[in-house]
Amino acid sequence: MSATALIAGTGALPRLLAGVISGDWVLCEMEGFPSSVPGIEPVRFRVERLVPFLDGLVDRGIGRVIFAGAMRRPRLDPELFDARTATLVPRLLQAMQSGDDATLREVIAIFEDWDLEVVGADQIDPDLVPGPGVLTGNPTNADAADADRAAAIVAALGSVDIGQGAVVAQGLCLAVEALPGTDAMLEFAALHQGLRPNPDGARGVVFKAPKPGQDRRIDLPSIGPETVKRAAAAGLAGIAWEAGGVLLLDRAATLAEAEARGLFLWAR
């Protein structure tokens, strides 16, 4: 069996996967984006030196790659490109102009050019992706209607490769996810709680889902204890998501947080 490379960004997911990867594996980090995986010296790389990094993975006997955790687009230094990596720049720049999903698809394609199999986090730990059902709490009919509305908004956002989340209360969209991410979306919703037309009506729902047609091996949306805390701070009734399409991180802690704050968790 070939070895695995865990290309880790920030957040809880790399640490969770590090505990369940079978066989030989190495930790890799893009410079400037340290992971949360403790006690392991990573192989660090820069995009400007991507080809030597890929060659190094192959030389190490790596055959499988997992991308996990958050990474922002790095600032590239033209002077650091080696000649072979420079030939990939037109591919990457063209993809980056189309959005995050197009960029990540091109990244996957480049890794596959080196015969590296890219696998999703859910293939390593299927329990990270819950199937349909209410995990805790009791969404009302009004919550279900808000979740339906939010799902339609997320599908529209995803079709133009913008975001994977939306906050809806009483049928009105309070916030959508864009480049700053889920935390920023929920902070915005928290600042604008007064926009609900009926203060005593439905409190609202945050909904998350992959983009339509997204390659689900990379950049699946995620939910964790911090999401619950921020949803509660925004005055929302709960969190809903597309069943089978969202990573539930630290499941026990996330459920405990939701129960303590009176929020529902619903895989739709």
Side-chain angles (χ1 to χ4, degrees):
M1 181 177 177
S2 59
T4 300
L6 174 60
I7 300 181
T10 58
L13 181 58
R15 184 182 71 252
L16 296 174
L17 292 178
V20 296
I21 298 175
S22 60
D24 295 331
W25 65 280
V26 297
L27 176 67
C28 304
E29 295 176 355
M30 187 163 66
E31 287 189 16
F33 298 90
S35 75
S36 61
V37 181
I40 300 176
E41 183 63 27
V43 176
R44 294 187 175 88
F45 69 96
R46 297 184 63 97
V47 173
E48 298 96 331
R49 303 280 298 170
L50 184 59
V51 167
F53 170 65
L54 293 170
D55 288 342
L57 293 182
V58 173
D59 291 343
R60 286 171 174 265
I62 302 296
R64 186 174 69 164
V65 175
I66 311 161
F67 291 89
M71 299 180 195
R72 295 190 307 275
R73 297 186 185 190
R75 295 183 181 275
L76 302 180
D77 185 343
E79 295 184 358
L80 295 181
F81 278 97
D82 65 275
R84 293 172 66 203
T85 303
T87 65
L88 301 177
V89 170
R91 292 174 61 178
L92 290 170
L93 288 179
Q94 182 176 2
M96 290 170 69
Q97 291 173 356
S98 299
D100 286 345
D101 189 49
T103 302
L104 294 173
R105 285 178 181 274
E106 193 60 42
V107 169
I108 289 174
I110 289 170
F111 274 72
E112 290 177 337
D113 287 345
W114 267 255
D115 293 326
L116 296 166
E117 179 189 9
V118 178
V119 299
D122 57 321
Q123 293 177 258
I124 304 301
D125 187 357
D127 289 340
L128 285 171
V129 183
V134 176
L135 280 67
T136 188
N138 185 29
T140 66
N141 289 337
D143 296 328
D146 281 342
D148 287 341
R149 171 72 170 146
I153 292 168
V154 170
L157 290 172
S159 69
V160 287
D161 201 0
I162 291 177
Q164 300 170 309
V167 177
V168 170
Q170 301 173 30
L172 301 178
C173 183
L174 302 184
V176 296
E177 185 186 62
L179 192 59
T182 301
D183 288 353
M185 172 181 68
L186 290 172
E187 288 172 6
F188 186 88
L191 290 172
H192 296 85
Q193 297 185 46
L195 293 177
R196 294 175 178 86
N198 180 1
D200 299 320
R203 290 154 50 199
V205 175
V206 56
F207 178 82
K208 300 193 74 173
K211 298 169 184 175
Q214 175 179 333
D215 191 319
R216 299 193 176 199
R217 292 175 292 173
I218 190 170
D219 194 36
L220 278 184
S222 63
I223 293 164
E226 188 62 29
T227 318
V228 175
K229 293 176 185 177
R230 292 181 182 273
L236 301 177
I239 301 171
W241 64 90
E242 180 185 307
V246 173
L247 300 168
L248 182 60
L249 309 179
D250 290 337
R251 180 187 291 243
T254 303
L255 265 65
E257 193 70 46
E259 290 165 0
R261 295 177 181 268
L263 271 67
F264 65 79
L265 298 178
W266 181 18
R268 296 172 72 253

